[in-house]
Amino acid sequence: MADDGQSLSLAVLIDADNTRSLYAKAIFEEIVKLGEASVRRIYGDFSSGRLTGWNGAVESLAILQHQQRSNTTGKNAADIALVIDAMDLMHKGKLDGFCLVSSDSDFTRLAQRLREDGLQVYGFGERKTPETFRNACHRFIYVENLVESVPEREASGSDASPQIKESPGNAVDIIANALEGTDDDGWVNLGPVGSRIVAATPDFDPRTYGCPNLSTLVENCGGFEIRRDTNNRILIRRKVAQKASRGKKTNT
C-alpha cells in the first residue's frame, strides 16, 4: 500500500468489448497522473477478429490479454472474468485502487464493492456510460476528453463519439455549490473546491467544457471573480454575492 508521497498502486482492468482501442494510449497517460499501473489486464474474445484493433495496444502498453471465448451469444463471460480477477486482487490487499475501463453499467456493483473495501476507484468510459456506474466511482473520466480528436478512420464508424464540448457557462452552478468556507467577503480558496466538486459529481472534468484545468474554467465561465492572495493562492467568489454585499452597504 502507498505511503505518504508514494504513488498509488493501481490495477487497470479493461473491458475490451466496451472500450475502443484508439483511446488506449491516452487512458494510460491519464493513469500516470493517478498512480502506477501495477496490474494491466484486458478481457474479451480476441479469437473472433472483432477486437484485433487492440493487438497493437496490448503489445506496446504491456497489457496482459485474458482470452474469454463467447460460447453463447449475448452472455457476458468476459465481464464475469474481469469481476473474478478484481475480487482476487482486492483480497490480496496489495493495491491502493482500481481503474475500471468500460462504458458498461454492469460494473456498478463492482465499483461499489471495491470502495467498500477502502480502495480508490477510477472509471474510464465514453459519455454514453450510465450515471449509475459513473457515480459509483470516486472519479469517472470521459475518454473523449483524453484525445484532441478522433482519427478520421475511426470517426467514419457508426459508433464514433462526437468531440463536443459544453459551454463553460454550464459549469457555474456546479462550481458555486462547492463554495464552502468563504471568508467575510465571500472569497474561497480554489484549491479545495475541485475536490468538493468531484466528491459530489465524479464525472466532472474541466476538459468537458474545453478548459485544461479548473482555474481556466472559472475564468471562462463568467460567474466568478478571481484574485490571488499573498501566498499566490487563487481565490474566487460569486459575482452575485458581491452585488448583494454592495446593495446592503448602500441601504445602511
Side-chain angles (χ1 to χ4, degrees), residues 20-23 53 149-160:
R20 289 185 291 158
S21 59
L22 74 115
Y23 294 116
S149 61
V150 176
E152 184 176 347
R153 68 180 185 277
E154 293 286 349
S156 61
S158 60
D159 64 342

Side-chain angles (χ1 to χ4, degrees), residues 27-46:
I27 288 172
F28 277 90
E29 289 174 347
E30 185 73 10
I31 291 172
V32 169
K33 303 175 186 177
L34 305 173
E36 180 183 355
S38 303
V39 176
R40 306 179 180 201
R41 301 180 184 178
I42 188 168
Y43 303 79
D45 185 359
F46 297 92

Side-chain angles (χ1 to χ4, degrees), residues 38-131:
S38 303
V39 176
R40 306 179 180 201
R41 301 180 184 178
I42 188 168
Y43 303 79
D45 185 359
F46 297 92
S47 64
S48 65
R50 187 173 61 84
L51 300 178
T52 54
W54 274 101
N55 291 342
V58 166
E59 181 176 354
S60 64
L61 296 171
I63 306 172
L64 180 61
Q65 188 180 75
H66 282 246
Q67 164 65 20
Q68 191 64 46
R69 185 178 298 276
S70 299
N71 296 313
T72 304
T73 302
K75 299 299 183 181
N76 55 350
D79 292 4
I80 294 173
L82 188 156
V83 172
I84 291 173
D85 277 6
M87 290 295 96
D88 285 344
L89 290 167
M90 181 189 76
H91 286 296
K92 288 180 180 178
K94 297 181 179 180
L95 295 167
D96 301 300
F98 285 76
C99 296
L100 304 179
V101 185
S102 179
S103 301
D104 190 346
S105 63
D106 287 350
F107 294 108
T108 299
R109 182 61 189 122
L110 173 60
Q112 293 170 332
R113 179 63 185 87
L114 294 171
R115 289 188 65 165
E116 289 170 3
D117 211 56
L119 296 165
Q120 290 291 311
V121 180
Y122 303 102
F124 290 79
E126 296 185 17
R127 294 183 189 276
K128 65 182 180 181
T129 305
E131 183 179 24

